[in-house]
Amino acid sequence: MRHRRRPAEFHRYTLRRRDRTPAWLDLSWRIILAFALIGIALIVHWFDRDGLRQANGAPITFADVLYFTMITVTTVGYGDIVPVTQQARMFDTFVVTPIRLFVWLIFLGTAYNFLLKRVWEKWRMTVIQRNLDGHVIVAGYGLSGSEAVGELIKRGTDPKTIVVIDEDAAALRAAEACDVTVMEGNATRNAALEAAQVARARSIIVAAGRDDTSILIVLTARGLAPDVPISVVIRSEDNEPIAHQAGASTVINPASFAGLLLAGSTQGAHIAEYMADLAAAGGDVALRERRVTADEIGRPLAQIGTGLGHRIYRGDRSYGFWEIEAGKLESGDLIVEVVPRR
């Protein structure tokens, strides 16, 4: 039974992305630049202090120069110290005035960066969240989830189209380092998945680390997105049928896959290497699934020109390249082929 979504709970889940420039570094260089510009004005005023006069006629000291520089740069100007020579006036006109403008721009830029920009970024992420479409949702950023994200990026997926959902702050910081979009939340809840626009996702990867949690996420996601492919990591073989019943399109057992590679290695030194080559983004060959094209209909699987055909999926049945059904491709067939990656 679906949980009724409360509006307050829905709006609690918001996206965020890493800011490429750390806040402390951004603030530090702004402060350094501002003091450097003020320092230039201070040094020139000190060496040209003979061009300055106090209203009371007292000699100009370093404290007076510092005071005059600061009130000039900040546009206060009390008039108790004034430039009297042509050289001093030209310096204030053509050097101090631009410095004054630059310092004010730095302060205004800092205010924008630390106040207005954050408001703007929050609004922008809200718009992105509302318009999410064709993205990949990764529920759980543990070992399997992080490996999946890394592999997706290697295969050319734009990190901005990957949304990682996790409750652990450290895991989200690690995900942000990959430039993906993250959302703190419990993916077993309807509100969290709805906030990630699960119904408009291209696919969902579930790697919660616990089989019971992963199956509950699959069940919740399938109720909200009946047609979106869901891949889930299940660690116990006994739970694989339950994950399928919950609505998972693909169930992956890491231990079973490792067992397949180990068993294959006993049949030949290069079998496990080739299987890993097929699965990894950095390999020379890759497995690809695609729809049959119009010009391929009626031809055998062995005669496709894009790669080496291994299997076709027709309805709810699959046929290998050696079977009679693979001798004549039909409209709607899905072809699984091996293609060169480069």
Side-chain angles (χ1 to χ4, degrees):
M1 183 173 63
R2 287 186 58 181
H3 300 288
R4 180 173 297 176
R5 174 174 58 83
R6 294 174 296 177
E9 183 183 17
F10 176 83
H11 292 297
R12 185 164 60 86
Y13 299 106
T14 55
L15 301 180
R16 74 172 191 263
R17 288 181 187 153
R18 180 184 63 161
D19 191 346
R20 293 181 181 272
T21 304
W24 65 268
L25 181 61
D26 189 25
L27 181 61
S28 297
W29 80 257
R30 289 171 185 271
I31 293 174
I32 292 171
L33 181 59
F35 275 103
L37 292 172
I38 294 172
I40 293 172
L42 175 64
I43 292 171
V44 176
H45 277 146
W46 172 248
F47 283 108
D48 192 37
R49 58 187 179 277
D50 291 338
L52 303 177
R53 291 288 184 274
Q54 292 205 65
N56 59 8
I60 298 293
T61 65
F62 180 78
D64 295 326
V65 172
L66 177 61
Y67 162 75
F68 174 73
T69 300
M70 295 305 297
I71 64 172
T72 302
V73 170
T74 56
T75 69
V76 177
Y78 293 111
D80 49 350
I81 300 177
V82 294
V84 293
T85 65
Q86 197 74 8
Q87 179 178 324
R89 289 171 178 170
M90 289 300 100
F91 175 73
D92 280 356
T93 300
F94 294 107
V95 179
V96 176
T97 298
I99 287 177
R100 180 188 304 125
L101 294 175
F102 276 117
V103 169
W104 275 107
L105 287 174
I106 290 170
F107 285 128
L108 289 174
T110 303
Y112 162 76
N113 193 60
F114 289 92
L115 295 175
L116 299 178
K117 185 180 178 182
R118 296 185 185 279
V119 174
W120 163 260
E121 187 65 18
K122 184 177 180 180
W123 176 83
R124 189 174 72 89
M125 293 306 296
T126 302
V127 172
I128 291 174
Q129 184 171 359
R130 189 183 307 123
N131 297 321
L132 277 174
D133 192 26
H135 53 295
V136 178
I137 296 176
V138 180
Y141 198 76
L143 180 60
S144 298
S146 60
E147 288 289 335
V149 168
E151 192 69 20
L152 283 169
I153 294 173
K154 288 178 184 177
R155 294 180 183 222
T157 303
D158 185 353
K160 293 186 172 93
T161 65
I162 300 174
V163 178
V164 172
I165 305 175
D166 205 301
E167 290 186 290
D168 183 64
L172 293 180
R173 284 194 297 271
E176 282 184 298
C178 299
D179 292 328
V180 303
T181 305
V182 302
M183 186 178 75
E184 184 176 356
N186 183 350
T188 65
R189 304 295 298 271
N190 284 21
L193 292 178
E194 286 178 334
Q197 303 296 347
V198 65
R200 297 206 298 260
R202 172 161 59 93
S203 60
I204 304 167
I205 295 174
V206 180
R210 288 172 51 104
D211 285 359
D212 53 351
T213 305
S214 294
I215 290 171
L216 183 55
I217 294 173
V218 170
L219 190 63
T220 305
R222 181 54 72 211
L224 296 172
D227 301 321
V228 177
I230 302 176
S231 301
V232 60
V233 174
I234 295 295
R235 304 189 182 280
S236 173
E237 187 176 351
D238 293 339
N239 291 329
E240 291 182 31
I242 302 174
H244 278 295
Q245 292 171 14
S249 310
T250 304
V251 176
I252 298 171
N253 189 320
S256 296
F257 186 70
L260 291 174
L261 293 179
L262 290 170
S265 66
T266 65
Q267 306 297 318
H270 304 293
I271 292 178
E273 178 187 352
Y274 184 66
M275 292 175 67
D277 198 16
L278 286 172
D284 294 325
V285 291
L287 279 171
R288 183 175 69 175
E289 180 180 310
R290 65 173 178 85
R291 288 280 180 186
V292 65
T293 60
D295 61 327
E296 292 172 333
I297 295 174
R299 294 165 54 186
L301 178 63
Q303 291 185 8
I304 62 173
T306 54
L308 185 61
H310 274 34
R311 181 176 291 181
I312 63 171
Y313 287 85
R314 184 174 296 158
D316 57 354
R317 299 289 302 276
S318 64
Y319 303 101
F321 62 87
W322 64 91
E323 297 185 77
I324 296 175
E325 288 80 1
K328 187 177 181 181
L329 295 172
E330 298 179 3
S331 177
D333 283 351
L334 282 173
I335 297 175
V336 176
E337 60 183 344
V338 176
V339 296
R341 197 176 292 277
R342 302 179 182 87

